[in-house]
């Protein structure tokens, strides 16, 4: 097996990079020779994964957080579109957000994770594609593997990624604090949500999550019934309500105990279109794509059944 590793050297405060000698020894033990590529800027992981896949690598391991894993998956899916050749994805999670890995139940210990990847049978899972408006006002698109959302989550992403404590405090604590702070600041936005060919739902919302996986936001089980291979999204709509009550109820999200909350609607479908109502500038909610916020709505989300091959 020809193995490549895409490493984000600053993920998790640089923990993997600091202990790279031990990580490399474990990789060598379980996979033999491997090729290492390091990211230097946002978007590098996508480009490096695309290059490795196009060069004939059988497995690419994303070493970093959710953002790194998502970019690597995006590169592998682009390579498949261009060449028709499947490259498997493995995850060595380390970062502020490791929610996708949390949903997979990967071990916390590096050697145990790599051994599990090496011994695992490949599994086909769904991926998502989102089209949105980027920060320059241009139409953009990319794949995602876990959860894409809009509203409060986009503002929280930007706050977390700009927080100087990132990598030095626990992801759960950082996400929880920034979620509460951004929620206090957040002004509810009016959107229209259309799932498949159903009747559009108009809502004043705090959050809309289009979920392939279960977890986001540093451990919130936002979509407790989501499955990676059911060819459908779970769409979670958190409607406007008393901010004080919703802040109290945020804790319900961590245990997935919010299904019957009066402010929450959960739908299922293969295609989701979310548009701002009325004033586009006022209601053009920020999007969140696997922990990054590169733009805003209007946005279209489409499921890609069995598009990605995971080894875990």
């Amino acid at each position: 097996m020809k193995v490549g590793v895409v490493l984000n050297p600053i993920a998790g405060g640089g923990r993997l990079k600091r202990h790279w000698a031990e990580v490399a020894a474990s990789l060598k033990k379980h996979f033999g020779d491997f090729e290492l590529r390091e990211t230097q800027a946002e978007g590098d992981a996508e480009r490096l994964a695309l290059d490795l896949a196009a060069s004939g690598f059988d497995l690419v391991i994303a070493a970093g957080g959710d953002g790194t894993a998502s970019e690597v998956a995006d590169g592998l899916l682009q390579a498949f579109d261009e060449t028709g050749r499947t490259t498997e994805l493995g995850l060595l999670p380390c970062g502020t957000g490791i929610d996708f890995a949390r949903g997979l139940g990967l071990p916390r210990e590096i050697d145990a994770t790599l051994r599990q990847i090496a011994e695992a049978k490949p599994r086909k899972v769904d991926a998502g594609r989102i089209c949105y408006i980027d920060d320059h006002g241009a139409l953009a698109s990319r794949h995602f593997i876990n959860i894409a959302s809009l509203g409060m989550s986009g503002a929280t992403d930007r706050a977390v990624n700009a927080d100087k404590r990132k990598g030095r405090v626990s992801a759960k604590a950082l996400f929880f604090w920034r979620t509460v702070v951004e929620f206090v600041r957040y002004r509810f936005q009016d959107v229209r949500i259309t799932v498949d060919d159903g009747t559009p739902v108009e809502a004043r919302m705090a959050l809309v999550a289009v979920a392939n996986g279960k977890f986001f936001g540093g451990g919130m089980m936002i979509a407790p019934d989501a499955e990676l291979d059911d060819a459908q999204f779970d769409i979670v709509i958190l409607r406007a309500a008393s901010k004080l009550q919703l802040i109290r109820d945020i804790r319900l999200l961590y245990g997935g105990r919010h299904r019957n909350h009066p402010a929450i609607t959960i739908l299922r479908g293969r295609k989701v279109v979310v548009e701002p109502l009325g004033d586009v500038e006022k209601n053009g909610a920020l999007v969140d794509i696997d922990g990054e916020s590169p733009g805003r709505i209007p946005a279209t989300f489409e499921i890609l059944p069995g598009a990605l091959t995971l080894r875990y």
Side-chain angles (χ1 to χ4, degrees), residues 22 38 54 63 90 92 106 121-122 139 148 155 159 170 199 204 208-209 219 230 258 289:
E22 299 97 302
E38 291 191 33
L92 185 56
L106 288 175
K121 291 183 179 180
L139 184 64
S170 78
T199 302
R204 173 158 288 185
V208 178
D230 62 355
H258 56 283
I289 308 172

Side-chain angles (χ1 to χ4, degrees), residues 36-56:
L36 174 65
R37 307 280 181 89
E38 291 191 33
T39 64
Q40 296 180 344
E42 185 179 335
D44 279 359
E46 172 195 332
R47 177 180 56 79
L48 294 171
L50 176 57
D51 181 61
L52 287 167
S55 300

Side-chain angles (χ1 to χ4, degrees), residues 63-188:
D66 283 337
T68 304
S70 184
E71 283 192 20
V72 169
D74 190 24
L76 299 184
L77 289 166
Q78 288 183 55
F80 177 79
D81 289 342
E82 292 176 9
T83 68
R85 186 178 183 280
T86 296
T87 301
E88 297 168 7
L89 171 66
L91 301 180
L92 185 56
C94 176
T96 305
I98 53 170
D99 286 301
F100 188 64
R102 180 179 286 107
L104 298 179
L106 288 175
R108 290 181 176 271
E109 204 269 325
I110 289 172
D111 188 72
T113 298
L114 292 173
R115 181 175 64 250
Q116 183 168 313
I117 294 170
E119 296 174 353
K121 291 183 179 180
R123 175 187 170 190
K124 286 192 175 296
V125 300
D126 306 333
R129 181 188 291 117
I130 177 174
C131 296
Y132 61 98
I133 303 300
D134 71 16
D135 286 337
H136 304 290
L139 184 64
S141 69
R142 59 161 293 178
H143 299 92
F144 63 97
I145 53 175
N146 189 35
I147 294 175
S149 61
L150 58 109
M152 185 177 71
S153 55
T156 300
D157 279 347
R158 296 191 180 204
V160 166
N161 290 331
D163 197 305
K164 294 180 180 179
R165 294 167 296 176
K166 183 180 176 181
R168 300 202 302 269
V169 301
S170 78
K172 185 174 182 178
L174 183 58
F175 270 103
F176 181 80
W177 170 246
R178 296 310 323 189
T179 297
V180 171
V181 170
E182 294 308 313
F183 188 55
V184 170
R185 296 174 178 171
Y186 187 74
R187 180 187 49 74
F188 296 126

